[in-house]
Amino acid sequence: MILGIGSDLANIDRIGGVLERHGDRFRNRVFTPIEQATAEYRQQTVATYAKRWAAKEACSKALGTGLRMGIAWKDMAVTNLPTGQPVMHLTGWAAERLASMTPPGHQAIVHVTLTDDHPWAQAFVVIEANPTAV
């Protein structure tokens, strides 16, 4: 069953402007060290940050809260499998919120997909609950 769906569209140039103005202060407030390392390694650094920004916004919407109720930016983080597939990781309050919305006898799975086509970065998050094995 679907527990939540969220989407977000971010302007890559806007995120680039914020990175120029606020630099490490912005990076360290919003992105985990792994997310920062991934973005800095990639040729399209700003687009990578923008996609992860959009993923965090989309995830907060799928959790049904938006960025309020104690959720922190770094409570939601995107990494990639060796295949390149993005994976959303939840910690802190975001993980607590996910646990509270997951019905008993179910396991939550957070699906995330990212794309960009300058000047836009987009993310979709779907939270699914599957019955656990008996």
Side-chain angles (χ1 to χ4, degrees), residues 23-96:
D24 286 341
R25 186 169 149 227
F26 172 69
R27 279 184 202 87
N28 293 332
R29 185 173 72 98
V30 175
F31 302 102
T32 66
I34 291 171
E35 289 175 309
Q36 291 180 46
T38 299
E40 297 300 326
Y41 172 79
R42 294 201 174 155
Q43 213 169 33
Q44 299 294 322
T45 300
V46 176
T48 300
Y49 279 121
K51 285 187 283 189
R52 277 150 177 75
W53 171 276
K56 292 167 187 275
E57 288 274 6
C59 186
S60 71
K61 293 170 186 174
L63 289 168
T65 64
L67 287 161
R68 59 183 175 83
M69 297 176 59
I71 199 165
W73 287 104
K74 292 196 285 188
D75 285 348
M76 303 165 288
V78 177
T79 62
N80 295 87
L81 297 176
T83 61
Q85 177 183 346
V87 178
M88 180 66 73
H89 304 274
L90 303 182
T91 58
W93 191 89
E96 292 173 20

